[in-house]
Each structure stands twice: as structure tokens, then as C-alpha cells.
Amino acid sequence: MFRTAQGTMYSLHQLKDPLERPLSEPQPRENAANEVKSCSEPLGELYKSKLLLDISARLWFTYRRKFSPIGGTGPSSDAGWGCMLRCGQMMLAQALICRHLGRDWQWEKHKKQPEEYHRILRCFLDRKDCCYSIHQMAQMGVGEGKSIGEWFGPNTVAQVLKKLALFDEWNSLAVYVSMDNTVVIEDIKKMCWSPPQGSSTAHSTAYLHRGALGRNKNTAGFCTGWKPLLLIIPLRLGINHINPVYIDAFKECFKMPQSLGALGGKPNNAYYFIGFLGNELIYLDPHTTQSFVDSEENGTVDDESFHCQQAPHRMKIMNLDPSVALEILKQQSLRMFELVQKHPPHWPPFVPPSKPEVTTTGAELIESTDKLFELEEEFEILSV
């Protein structure tokens, strides 16, 4: 089974070879393709082509070199340490594509793309003035205890994206990172709700209770005064290895219409997981080093290197490190974490995030690259 955000759910282990099916059987829908790498199982050329179209529609962020030094004096390449940051960029970019272009949007080489697409891509270029650039993410990570040039884990990337989203006025995303495997609806309302201008407090409160979670939508389908929610759920699915009891629930997450996939992999090797085939996970791999690409004078970007035009990779679920982070574009209840209405009284008070003061200069660099592959503290049980 392979599932991506708002795409059609399709089961490959039931499909076998689509070219061998009777003509009376229903054919997969256009946006159903999403399942595989170069699979050993026969899939049929038609189905493979649809799969590759879906994969190529995603923004693919990899290691880059020859960009301006981070912080002015830092590294000019993220090769060897930036893979989890690139996976976080891919996940967030997919959320923005679904929001602005729709899940059925497809990318074609040399085809003119809408302005929203180029605007999304510019958010992630390797420049210090781009909202979700490697520069911004690395420097924001200093506040999370990570030196520039140090490997990030899934929870750190989630916290960094939450902070950077506060500076992104165009997308106006509310990024909620769950604590202790628990999603609190009350906290989400506080973060996502922004009363319409000119409304009174009493009216806004009443409006929140009536419509914040799905009613009173505008013509675009979004709730008036309600920010789009990017829900990130860091999870620990075992101690040193993934516990088999979680596998079925983990696979169910990819079937959700709101799913954006998962961040994870192995210590110091991060991947962006976008679905599964049987007991194998399908992922995009950031471990390819490409040259820095900047925008043209007219604002467009030579985007061919930002799309994976070959079959994606896959790995056995049991080889996955148990520390992962699920991403959902809007709230949804899952069996692997708890969804509660009220903020637990034993937790610290919830304070909606505000823009942090960023004062990094690039001096907070990791002392030696020898330390890059010794740190595994991100792969630990989360606690409040």
C-alpha cells in the first residue's frame, strides 16, 4: 500500500501486475500512482509511468555546495550533515504544494509553471534571505542546542520549522509539534485561531467554538480566521530497534488523506518517507550533492535539479530507526498517539509560539567534523 497527502490509496500487493488484470477491473486513478521504486514485482509500464509522474511532482531537496557561507563564516555546503534538514524541507514543500496547487498538480520539464510554484520554490533556495533555506534552518537550530554543521534529528527539525513558520506571512502556517505522543485540540485552537479584524472578543470566542474545526469556511475551502495546520508528531517506535507491534499502525498513517509522510531513517542518515509497498518503505533520498541554484532576474528558478526524475528508493521497515516524526496537514486521530480535548493539568502551561530573536553570527560552528557521526541523542525517548 502506498499513500501520499490527499492522493488515492492503492494496494500494490493486491494489484500484482495491472497489465494482467481483466479489462472489467477498475483502473487506478491518475493521482493513484505513488508506490514504488524500481520494484522487483511486475507493475506494468503504464502504472510505473503514473508513479514516476507523482514522484517528480514533489520538490526534491538534496545536499548542495557552493552556496554563500552560513552565517558569513560557516560552511558553504551541507554535505555530510544536512540530510535531515533537507528532508524537513521536502516535507514542508509538499504541504505548501498541496495548499496552493492541490494534490493533483503535476510537474513537467520545461513547462511553464504557475507563480505560486515558483514562490514556493524560492522559499527553500540556499540563500540567507529565504524563509526555509539551509541557512535559516541551521542558524535557528542553534537555539535548539545544535551547532551549525551538526547533524539534526527529526524532533529538532520539527522545532526549527515551527519557529521559522512564524516569519512566513505568505503561507501563514500554524506548525504544531506534539509532546509526549499527545495532540491537544485546545492548544491547536489557540495556535490556529486568528479572529477576523474588527470582531469583538466575545464574538470571536463564540465563533471559535462553532466553526474553528471545519465550519464557516470561505469560498477557498479554508475556515475564515483559521490558519492551516501542519501537525508534526515525533514518535519513538521502540528502544534500539522498531517494535513490530507498531508496524501496522505506522503503515496506516500513510493511508490518511492528510498525510505528508514521515521523517526518519537511521542515525546520521535521514530520509523522507512517502509511502510503503508491503513491508518496505518508499522514500526520497537527500544524499546527492548538487551545485547551488539561484533564482533568475525574473524570479523563476531553473528547477530541473529540484525534482527526482527516477524511481525512488525503498527500505525494509524493520531497518528503520525507531525515532520518527509523522507529518499531517490537518489534525487527525491515530492509534499511535493520544488526542485529547483539554490541556493535561500536569503539563506546563501552553504558550502559543512567538517570533524568536535570532542573533547567530556563524560563530557557533561545530568544532570538528569527527563529531558529526558520533551523536545519536536525537534518537531517544521524548519526555515533557
Side-chain angles (χ1 to χ4, degrees):
M1 178 71 69
F2 184 79
R3 188 68 168 92
T4 55
Q6 302 177 9
T8 299
M9 188 166 56
Y10 214 88
S11 176
L12 283 185
H13 67 274
Q14 295 175 353
L15 175 60
K16 297 183 180 178
D17 190 342
L19 299 184
E20 296 177 355
R21 295 176 302 171
L23 294 178
S24 59
E25 288 192 38
Q27 300 295 314
R29 290 166 49 187
E30 286 297 323
N31 65 348
N34 253 17
E35 293 189 15
V36 181
K37 164 191 171 176
S38 48
C39 296
S40 56
E41 298 89 342
L43 289 176
E45 294 302 320
L46 177 62
Y47 193 80
K48 285 183 180 179
S49 65
K50 292 180 179 180
L51 161 67
L52 294 177
L53 280 176
D54 190 271
I55 295 298
S56 65
R58 298 168 178 272
L59 284 172
W60 179 47
F61 296 115
T62 69
Y63 291 150
R64 295 277 172 172
R65 60 176 180 270
K66 298 182 180 179
F67 50 71
S68 61
I70 298 176
T73 60
S76 57
S77 172
D78 63 314
W81 59 272
C83 54
M84 185 62 80
L85 281 71
R86 297 301 186 180
C87 291
Q89 288 179 325
M90 285 190 273
M91 177 272 297
L92 181 57
Q94 182 64 16
L96 299 184
I97 286 176
C98 291
R99 169 161 163 71
H100 294 289
L101 302 176
R103 180 61 183 85
D104 295 332
W105 173 82
Q106 292 183 342
W107 175 83
E108 294 182 30
K109 190 189 302 185
H110 307 311
K111 179 182 179 181
K112 184 178 180 180
Q113 301 297 341
E115 171 58 26
E116 292 85 354
Y117 165 79
H118 289 286
R119 195 167 181 181
I120 292 171
L121 183 52
R122 289 196 298 269
C123 290
F124 298 92
L125 295 181
D126 299 318
R127 294 170 27 173
K128 64 180 181 180
D129 58 344
C130 296
C131 187
Y132 301 111
S133 67
I134 194 74
H135 298 67
Q136 295 286 358
M137 296 184 71
Q139 291 187 285
M140 191 63 75
V142 174
E144 298 297 320
K146 292 295 181 181
S147 301
I148 296 175
E150 188 175 349
W151 194 85
F152 284 36
N155 185 53
T156 302
V157 167
Q159 298 297 336
V160 165
L161 291 177
K162 180 176 73 172
K163 292 180 179 179
L164 289 177
L166 300 172
F167 298 89
D168 182 9
E169 296 182 357
W170 175 54
N171 293 298
S172 189
L173 282 178
V175 180
Y176 178 93
V177 183
S178 70
M179 296 174 57
D180 200 23
N181 303 344
T182 303
V183 175
V184 185
I185 294 178
E186 179 184 26
D187 296 347
I188 289 177
K189 289 181 179 180
K190 291 179 181 178
M191 178 180 289
C192 294
W193 177 245
S194 56
Q197 294 182 355
S199 62
S200 64
T201 303
H203 177 268
S204 299
T205 302
Y207 190 87
L208 169 63
H209 289 299
R210 292 197 307 269
L213 294 181
R215 302 171 185 166
N216 296 312
K217 293 182 178 179
N218 58 24
T219 56
F222 298 105
C223 297
T224 304
W226 181 258
K227 292 183 179 181
L229 171 67
L230 175 58
L231 178 60
I232 305 178
I233 307 153
L235 294 171
R236 184 78 185 184
L237 305 181
I239 305 298
N240 298 318
H241 304 281
I242 189 169
N243 191 325
V245 73
Y246 293 118
I247 289 180
D248 288 340
F250 184 56
K251 289 163 65 174
E252 286 294 315
C253 297
F254 293 99
K255 302 179 185 179
M256 296 169 51
Q258 304 87 356
S259 172
L260 295 173
L263 304 181
K266 302 176 182 178
N268 304 310
N269 281 282
Y271 305 115
Y272 174 38
F273 297 101
I274 55 177
F276 68 93
L277 171 64
N279 286 319
E280 292 183 315
L281 295 172
I282 312 301
Y283 66 90
L284 292 178
D285 189 354
H287 299 90
T288 296
T289 304
Q290 304 184 86
S291 295
F292 164 67
V293 174
D294 203 352
S295 58
E296 307 290 344
E297 291 184 1
N298 60 2
T300 61
V301 179
D302 183 3
D303 62 349
E304 189 170 343
S305 66
F306 291 98
H307 292 272
C308 182
Q309 300 175 58
Q310 55 189 349
H313 299 277
R314 57 180 179 172
M315 67 178 289
K316 294 185 181 298
I317 295 181
M318 289 304 298
N319 292 338
L320 177 70
D321 189 277
S323 181
V324 299
L326 302 177
E327 293 82 34
I328 300 171
L329 193 54
K330 60 181 180 179
Q331 69 177 46
Q332 180 75 25
S333 178
L334 293 176
R335 295 179 180 177
M336 288 200 302
F337 61 87
E338 185 179 359
L339 188 67
V340 299
Q341 288 286 345
K342 293 294 184 180
H343 190 90
H346 62 282
W347 280 19
F350 177 79
V351 179
S354 58
K355 292 182 179 179
E357 294 183 5
V358 182
T359 58
T360 57
T361 63
E364 306 86 349
L365 302 179
I366 188 168
E367 296 177 0
S368 170
T369 56
D370 294 337
K371 297 181 180 180
L372 290 177
F373 305 102
E374 297 177 357
L375 305 174
E376 299 185 13
E377 68 274 15
E378 289 299 336
F379 293 84
E380 62 186 6
I381 299 177
L382 301 176
S383 60
V384 180

